[in-house]
Amino acid sequence: FGNAVLWKPSPAGAGVAEALAALLPEGLVGLVHGDGSTARHVALHVDALTVTGSPAAGWALQEAAASRSIPFQAELGGNNGAIVWDGADLEAAAAAVADAAFAFAGQRCTATRRAILPGALHDRFTRLVADAAARLPWGDPLEAATRVGPLVSVQARHDVAALLERCGADVRAVAGEPPGPAYLAPAVVVGADPGSEIVREETFGPVLVLQRARSFDEALELLDGVPQGLAAAMFGGAEDERARFLREARAGILALDAASPEVDVTLPFGGWKASGAGPSEHGEADADFFARRQAIYRG
């Protein structure tokens, strides 16, 4: 749309931002490095503000945008659930959920964080998803075969490990020798309280929480029982249950028999509840956000 971009990347991703900016035409993208105070300063000098980050960062920048009455758009993370119900191909579902939960060490906003199952499927799925996770190759993220790389920093690894230690649930780490200090073995968490931190907050690490549901009504309640609402998935289920999922799941991106699907940039991308603010990204929404409409009348 002809706009120049002022880009303030996360400090942890500064090197990636520099590498990407070097591939772009000169003059269209300017990089500004710094912390949250730098981001708030940038917000005072742009005509529109689009943010990907934590809820705290998003709310602070939304306030800055509101003070200047400029368009604001934010994707603020996900705590995405997948209902795995009667009739699902459990092996296929376990493989899909494991990859969606643990690939990139869980460092994607669309990663699957929770799987919700009826009691009759719970134990078998637990074994299958652990086996599927163990088959995911981990190592150097620059190697094409790698699916589970390191966390963004050693500190991030320690933070996720500490969360697992204090979660008060059964943590089953997938066997394997970590290739380095920033790596964390994929972990399956069983029996966590629905109100606990590990259920309600976005882990942003290689962690999958399994939840039992005594009915499909309870499965939907657990699915939506977190503050976030970016993505949700469902495997199996009767036709009426799948229709209820599509109708009642409170998330901006829904998938059937897939977890963390590849994003189609022609479709809207955005979260509900605490996962987003402002209009969606991608597709027709890009024109609405990055351009301005004008009505022209002739006498």
Side-chain angles (χ1 to χ4, degrees):
F1 299 104
N3 299 314
V5 173
L6 195 57
W7 182 12
K8 207 300 286 182
S10 164
V16 175
E18 291 281 358
L20 181 57
L23 302 176
L24 302 175
E26 287 189 29
L28 287 182
V29 177
L31 278 182
V32 179
H33 294 296
D35 57 12
S37 62
T38 305
R40 289 189 290 274
H41 183 73
V42 167
L44 301 177
H45 299 278
V46 293
D47 296 319
L49 189 59
T50 180
V51 179
T52 299
S54 68
W59 297 330
L61 291 170
Q62 185 176 25
E63 184 176 340
S67 70
R68 298 184 55 230
S69 297
I70 62 173
F72 179 78
Q73 173 190 74
E75 187 273 289
L76 304 177
N79 187 1
N80 313 306
I83 296 175
V84 182
W85 213 245
D86 297 323
D89 180 333
L90 276 195
E91 291 192 7
V97 168
D99 189 72
F102 303 127
F104 300 93
Q107 298 170 119
R108 292 184 293 175
C109 57
T110 54
T112 299
R113 312 283 178 201
R114 299 172 295 125
I116 301 159
L117 305 105
L121 302 181
H122 183 276
D123 291 348
R124 184 180 172 215
F125 185 85
T126 301
R127 293 191 298 271
L128 289 172
V129 78
D131 290 344
R135 292 193 296 269
L136 294 173
W138 60 348
D140 187 342
L142 297 180
E143 296 292 334
T146 297
R147 291 301 289 163
V148 183
L151 274 81
V152 70
S153 67
V154 173
Q155 184 60 52
R157 187 262 181 215
H158 289 334
D159 291 344
V160 177
L163 174 60
L164 290 170
E165 289 178 3
R166 67 175 182 267
C167 74
D170 181 10
V171 178
R172 306 178 186 184
V174 174
E177 186 64 29
Y183 289 78
L184 183 66
V188 178
V189 177
V190 178
D193 185 282
S196 64
E197 176 187 14
I198 202 163
V199 172
R200 291 185 57 80
E201 300 301 325
E202 181 183 32
T203 307
F204 221 68
V207 177
L208 176 68
V209 177
L210 301 188
Q211 298 179 275
R212 292 178 188 261
R214 290 164 293 186
S215 66
F216 192 69
D217 284 342
E218 186 178 26
L220 288 173
E221 289 175 4
L222 291 172
L223 181 72
D224 292 329
V226 295
Q228 307 83 1
L230 180 59
M234 181 172 177
F235 295 82
E239 185 176 344
D240 63 320
E241 292 168 333
R242 290 161 75 88
R244 281 192 64 192
F245 165 76
L246 295 176
R247 186 171 63 249
E248 298 179 25
R250 298 178 63 203
I253 302 167
L254 303 181
L256 291 172
D257 300 318
S260 190
E262 294 297 324
V263 173
D264 183 338
V265 296
T266 67
L267 298 177
F269 180 95
W272 294 13
K273 302 190 289 182
S275 285
S280 297
E281 303 172 45
H282 300 339
E284 295 179 356
D286 281 345
D288 288 334
F289 186 78
F290 291 105
R292 297 289 177 272
R293 295 182 183 270
Q294 287 182 313
I296 299 175
Y297 292 80
R298 295 183 183 275

